[in-house]
Every structure is written in C-alpha cells, then in structure tokens.
Amino acid sequence: MNEQLADATRIVTFRLGPDLFAADIAAVERVLKYETPRGIPNVPAWIEGVIEYQGRVVPVIDLRRRFELAHDGAGTHTRMIVFSTETELVAVVVDAVLDVRALPESELAEPPAFFRGLAGAYLRGLARRDGELVVVLDANRLLSSRDRLALEPALRAGSDA
C-alpha cells in the first residue's frame, strides 16, 4: 500500500454537471469563488473573459462550453480553478470542487480510441472514484498553441484597460 501511495499523483476532483473531472494538484495555483469575468471581444465563445489575479490578466475558460456540455450558468458552488501551466496562468470555471486525493498511477487508464481529436487532446487519462468514471485532464493542454496566439492580442488589450 505504501509503495502504491508513493507512486501516486494527487488530484483535485471537480464536477461539471453530472460528470467528474480531475487534474493534477501540482498544476493548481488556487481555487477561487466564482466572479463574473470581464468580457473581451473577438475570442471563442468558451472564453468567458479575463480576471485579474496577482497583478496578471488571466483568461477564463468555461469548461462546459469548451467540452460542449449543457450550460446552466453559475451557482452557489461554482468555482474558478487557476492552473499554472507550462507557459501561463489559466482559470477554468467548474460547477463544484469536490476534494483532493491520491491517484495511484496504476489506476490511471489511457483514454479509449474514440476520445481522439480535439476533446482527447485535453485528456491525461481515465480513472474510477467511488464507482464513478473520472476524466483526468492535462492542464497544460487546455489551451493549444493556436488558442494562445489568438488570445494574445485580447489579453494585451485587457491588461491595458
């Protein structure tokens, strides 16, 4: 058991509608109570806008829209998870943050072949949590290089405002 825990990744688990998602806790900068982001023009619909976090302008991704899930709007448990990726900070809107737990690497399965394409690009793998399937995301892949280039002018404009 101790060997299994030593080879484990700590993940933060969160909910989007009825579905469970998770990401490596090492990528989580902070969990914030939801605040309405400041809108910016000429960005994809899944970018809610930007927030200021620690003196930086941070894009806010609505994961429901990004993953083409039904959108219910913000509720009392809605949170923003600020991820520190390899290149920048990115905030994502989730319905609720549930917990942090250890995930042994042996319990992380490769996504099936039908997850190929755009949606599969974000995935690190799949796991089970209390009998439910958990989609484990790779925070570094939430914005592609093309997404970053498209956002750059809007983020510069947002920091000038």
Side-chain angles (χ1 to χ4, degrees):
M1 177 85 171
N2 288 341
E3 186 177 308
Q4 190 178 28
L5 287 178
D7 191 31
T9 300
R10 293 186 53 80
I11 57 170
V12 60
T13 308
F14 52 92
R15 192 168 287 286
L16 290 174
D19 301 317
L20 291 178
F21 290 82
D24 191 325
I25 192 71
V28 175
E29 175 82 18
R30 178 147 311 171
V31 175
L32 304 171
K33 188 169 173 126
Y34 180 80
E35 63 179 83
T36 303
R38 186 171 74 218
I40 51 177
N42 304 321
V43 294
W46 47 266
I47 299 287
E48 267 199 49
V50 295
I51 58 170
E52 190 171 333
Y53 175 74
Q54 295 186 344
R56 296 171 65 180
V57 176
V58 177
V60 177
I61 299 172
D62 183 326
L63 281 186
R64 279 182 173 253
R65 286 188 180 130
R66 182 72 162 155
F67 297 151
E68 299 179 3
L69 302 171
H71 192 269
D72 294 338
T76 57
H77 298 289
T78 303
R79 298 291 181 263
M80 292 179 170
I81 302 174
V82 179
F83 287 112
S84 178
T85 70
E86 293 169 346
T87 56
E88 75 263 308
L89 295 176
V90 175
V92 298
V93 178
V94 301
D95 293 338
V97 174
L98 303 177
D99 61 18
V100 175
R101 61 175 57 194
L103 174 66
E105 288 296 322
S106 62
E107 292 181 20
L108 185 64
E110 289 289 320
F114 65 83
F115 275 107
R116 303 250 191 272
L118 185 61
Y122 313 125
L123 300 184
R124 183 167 164 223
L126 301 172
R128 288 233 169 254
R129 175 188 168 211
D130 303 329
E132 287 187 82
L133 187 65
V134 179
V135 178
V136 181
L137 302 176
D138 183 339
N140 289 310
R141 296 181 185 171
L142 289 173
L143 287 176
S144 69
S145 297
R146 186 168 44 194
D147 295 335
R148 285 183 184 94
L149 287 174
L151 278 174
E152 208 171 281
L155 292 176
R156 272 197 309 268
S159 66
D160 294 339

